[in-house]
Amino acid sequence: EAAYHGLAGDVARAIDPQTEADPVAVLAQFLVAFGSAVGRTGYYPVGSRRHYPNLFAVLVGPSSKGRKGTAWDWVEALFRGDRDGAFRRAGADPQWAATCVCAGLSSGEGLIKAVRDPRFAKERDRKGGEEKQVCVDEGAEDKRLLAVEEELGGVLRAMGREGNILSAILGQAWDGGRLRTLTSTNPLRATDAHVSVLGHVTRQELCRLLGQSDQANGFANRFLWLAARRSKLLPDGG
């Protein structure tokens, strides 16, 4: 009961009578979405490091009957502001919902590209004058990104492929938002990235696909793992 604290707890309690979703799933996804939407406007100091509210969480439960996606639908509607007038008055952030929520994590390079810094190159003018810096890529306009992976098994499979650096880049994203690759031909970089991850997976898939190295190297330790079960039967809806 102590987990249902403050505004997030009020939201979970208000939605609970209207849905078969586990209130744990509503609460967790609300917290992850809120942390993503507010971005790097607040932090908690731990020693010399700033901990920003970019959270990684995974709901573990049976397919369909776990109602993991149903819980996300409620939370997304709240932040998008498209459910009814009350939701729109609640201070929703439609820009975040429209541009910063995505799916399809498959490579570390792709993740960096989504939140990349502007890129400049040296160019000499046509008259043979001095070189100057020219912007060749304006970079990502918004560094907030929430990856909602309702089939997390696909992400875990991609991570298991040889040469895939997604696990390492996600670790960098959780730790502080400085992402980079050191390839000589096409180096990628993102600073002050605010990456959050929300995953759904069955217990069977998780046990089969989460490799021993990712269990031991700190990747899994960056996630909050939560069991999600259907809370009730509402055959006529909420």
Side-chain angles (χ1 to χ4, degrees):
E1 188 63 23
Y4 297 93
H5 173 75
L7 175 63
D10 292 343
V11 169
R13 289 190 180 97
I15 292 175
D16 182 46
Q18 311 300 329
T19 179
E20 295 183 353
D22 194 329
V24 168
V26 176
L27 177 70
Q29 295 185 111
F30 177 86
L31 289 170
V32 174
F34 179 83
S36 174
V38 300
R40 296 171 74 87
T41 59
Y43 61 88
Y44 192 89
V46 179
S48 62
R49 176 170 290 185
R50 295 179 177 183
H51 285 214
Y52 293 95
N54 57 305
L55 306 177
F56 288 12
V58 177
L59 299 176
V60 185
S63 180
S64 179
K65 292 182 180 180
R67 295 295 190 265
K68 303 182 290 294
T70 300
W72 170 245
D73 291 342
W74 278 94
V75 172
E76 184 183 28
L78 178 61
F79 280 86
R80 190 182 295 275
D82 61 358
R83 190 168 182 87
D84 57 33
F87 275 21
R88 285 193 292 272
R89 291 192 299 270
D93 186 349
Q95 178 181 346
W96 169 84
T99 63
C100 301
V101 181
C102 66
L105 286 176
S106 60
S107 70
E109 294 85 353
L111 176 56
I112 297 176
K113 187 174 182 180
V115 291
R116 67 195 181 280
D117 291 343
R119 189 162 60 88
F120 298 87
K122 290 182 179 181
E123 183 178 279
R124 191 181 300 275
D125 62 34
R126 295 180 180 179
K127 295 181 180 180
E130 295 182 355
E131 288 185 339
K132 59 181 180 179
Q133 293 281 357
V134 177
C135 181
V136 295
D137 184 350
E138 294 183 355
E141 182 178 350
D142 196 328
K143 294 296 190 79
R144 299 175 298 172
L145 186 145
L146 171 58
V148 181
E149 301 295 340
E150 298 193 48
E151 297 293 339
L152 187 67
V155 178
L156 297 176
R157 288 188 187 92
M159 285 169 40
R161 297 174 189 145
E162 186 176 354
N164 191 294
I165 62 170
L166 179 58
S167 174
I169 298 302
L170 282 173
Q172 294 175 16
W174 190 91
D175 288 342
R178 290 183 180 179
L179 319 180
R180 64 186 307 176
T181 61
L182 297 177
T183 57
S184 58
T185 54
N186 188 25
L188 298 170
R189 185 177 67 178
T191 54
D192 295 331
H194 191 75
V195 178
S196 307
V197 180
L198 187 55
H200 300 170
V201 70
T202 66
R203 182 176 178 177
Q204 292 79 5
E205 271 195 312
L206 180 62
C207 291
R208 187 173 72 252
L209 297 174
L210 186 64
Q212 291 186 351
S213 60
D214 286 321
Q215 294 178 43
N217 65 9
F219 171 81
N221 193 46
R222 289 173 168 84
F223 285 81
L224 179 63
W225 305 89
L226 296 161
R229 305 179 179 91
R230 182 166 57 189
S231 61
K232 64 186 78 65
L233 289 172
L234 294 175
D236 297 322

